[in-house]
Amino acid sequence: MELLTLVGKKYSRNLLTTTDFDEFSLHLKSEHGYLISTSTLKRLWGYVNDTHQPRTQTLDLLSRYIGFNCFSDFCIHLKTSTIYNSSFFTTRQIQVQNLKPGDEIEIGWSPNRYLRLQYHGEAHFQVIDSKQSKLKKGDCFETACFLMGQPLLLSYILRDNQKTPPFIAGRNGGLTLINQLT
């Protein structure tokens, strides 16, 4: 995930649409001589669902793109760099302790995911509107806060009185929208 984040920063454009991935694939080929297909890039960035593990060759090329010799060198950098250790940070956030039952918030993440939520008290939320998300209207979950730029980790979704496995929203890039509406 960190590799993809750094590649995205270097490329300086968001990878959100099929055209974006096509252009990035062409950029890698024309500017650097790297051959990575659009479909491979889409899988890596989670734009399409797929269970294939990326090839080491692909990870090596992306690591070279950001200045490393290979993916294993990049991994060594991650393990030894102080940048990736735990730390305090500041970001825009919504904490449930500041909400009243009935309050509504909206959250979003790439690519084009959107939820409108209603707070029911005691850290419980219900989805009242969903666009391009795996969460559906009526789904419920618990969380203590929403942090801009960070993934939303949910231990389960309550759907039709059944608990799902854990869910992560905004795996790549975190939440891009958090607003308290009422």
Side-chain angles (χ1 to χ4, degrees), residues 3 6-7 10 24 28 32-36 56-74:
L3 175 62
L6 294 174
V7 167
K10 178 172 179 168
F24 184 51
L28 290 171
H32 303 279
Y34 302 159
L35 297 173
I36 303 176
T56 303
Q57 178 185 5
T58 302
L59 299 174
D60 285 343
L61 291 174
L62 291 173
S63 296
R64 278 190 216 121
Y65 178 72
I66 61 168
F68 293 88
N69 290 326
C70 61
F71 183 64
S72 63
D73 285 355
F74 174 72

Side-chain angles (χ1 to χ4, degrees), residues 70-99:
C70 61
F71 183 64
S72 63
D73 285 355
F74 174 72
C75 291
I76 290 168
H77 167 73
L78 287 180
K79 290 178 184 177
T80 59
S81 174
T82 57
I83 295 171
Y84 300 100
N85 292 333
S86 300
S87 65
F88 294 99
F89 64 98
T90 57
T91 190
R92 200 162 138 247
Q93 60 183 302
I94 296 174
Q95 295 184 358
V96 297
Q97 66 208 35
N98 299 326
L99 298 173

Side-chain angles (χ1 to χ4, degrees), residues 10 13 18 29 41 67 73 75 79 82 89-90 92 94 100 124 131 141 150 174 178 182:
K10 178 172 179 168
R13 289 195 228 164
T18 296
K29 183 179 179 185
L41 294 171
D73 285 355
C75 291
K79 290 178 184 177
T82 57
F89 64 98
T90 57
R92 200 162 138 247
I94 296 174
K100 299 182 300 287
H124 291 95
K131 294 180 181 146
F141 61 84
Q150 300 299 315
I178 60 169
T182 55

Side-chain angles (χ1 to χ4, degrees), residues 86-142:
S86 300
S87 65
F88 294 99
F89 64 98
T90 57
T91 190
R92 200 162 138 247
Q93 60 183 302
I94 296 174
Q95 295 184 358
V96 297
Q97 66 208 35
N98 299 326
L99 298 173
K100 299 182 300 287
D103 283 352
E104 293 182 5
I105 66 168
E106 60 182 358
I107 62 172
W109 61 95
S110 294
N112 304 326
R113 308 299 192 241
Y114 172 85
L115 295 177
R116 186 172 177 137
L117 308 168
Q118 185 175 57
Y119 182 58
H120 288 265
E122 298 183 14
H124 291 95
F125 290 86
Q126 183 174 27
V127 177
I128 57 175
D129 189 21
S130 173
K131 294 180 181 146
Q132 285 87 14
S133 174
K134 291 181 180 172
L135 279 88
K136 300 176 181 178
K137 186 176 180 179
D139 285 351
C140 297
F141 61 84
E142 296 177 41

